Amino acid sequence: MKFPPQLLLVLATLLWGGNFVIGRAVTGDIPPVTLAFLRWCVAFIIFLPIAYSRTKQEWSMIKANWPAVIVMAITGVACFNTLVYIGLHSTTSINASLMNSSTPIIIYILSFIFLKERLSKFQLFGTALSLTGVAFIISGGSLESLLAFSFNKGDLIVLIAVVCWGVYSLLVKQYAGRLPGYSTFLVTIALGALMLLPFTIYELTTTSAEIVWSFSTISAILYVGIAASIVAFLSWNTGVVALGANKASIYLNFIPLFAAIFAVLFIGEDLRIAQVIGGLAVICGVILSNKK
């Protein structure tokens, strides 16, 4: 059965929106680094039979671009979700998902700094508007907090995570013609999980953090490992191939919408006016920056 690409893109963003809420919901049951490690272990087990044969055939392409693959594993797998899960111990899933919407803006900035790409007037205005929205979100709409640089620690950690995802996305874009998608994803999952292993052992053996095994904890690990990783990845890639990257990127704005709905309905978070205003500014900035 063939699904419309629009439906697949919405499904991917819905699952990614749920990832932020799940990460927040299990903060008392599973340590953040351990959650990220188990997520990628589950994802690797599920994705291995899907991409193994391709990886064997395309190994020479991956080996030829090994430095880029390693940086992708560090930023996109090892760092991004780990930092998000750490940040969610101190901030809300709504805040985290709203700041994640600024990813396209971060990519424009990184492209300008490292690739010397020129920004159009729409990208400049969109970047300024989105960054203003991010500042509004992390300051809670308080000018005093903004001037005093008094921000929530969790918000700042999530912001670092978004920069990591921006680096990863930029590399994916730059190496799209040289690195095969499925094979690269499988290899980066394996490398990222290996990178997280010593930090997971350290977290579980030297801190008071421990896993509270329950049905909800196991369900959360399976959700982030299968639904938010494999199903979302396959759905998103299929939709992007059918519609094109530019049209598909607009669908990313559904992530904070779904995250906010899930957070209010299932974990009792309150939607504040500062989040609404800041989120609208971020999303409008992204849409403006994509204008030709």
Side-chain angles (χ1 to χ4, degrees), residues 165-185:
W165 186 251
V167 173
Y168 171 80
S169 302
L170 188 62
L171 286 171
V172 169
K173 178 182 175 183
Q174 290 298 113
Y175 284 84
R178 287 175 274 176
L179 283 170
Y182 281 34
S183 304
T184 304
F185 187 49

Side-chain angles (χ1 to χ4, degrees), residues 30 35 38-39 42 213 216-226:
I30 182 168
L35 176 59
L38 292 176
R39 168 186 180 154
V42 170
W213 291 109
S216 59
T217 305
I218 295 171
S219 299
I221 294 169
L222 292 176
Y223 177 90
V224 298
I226 300 173

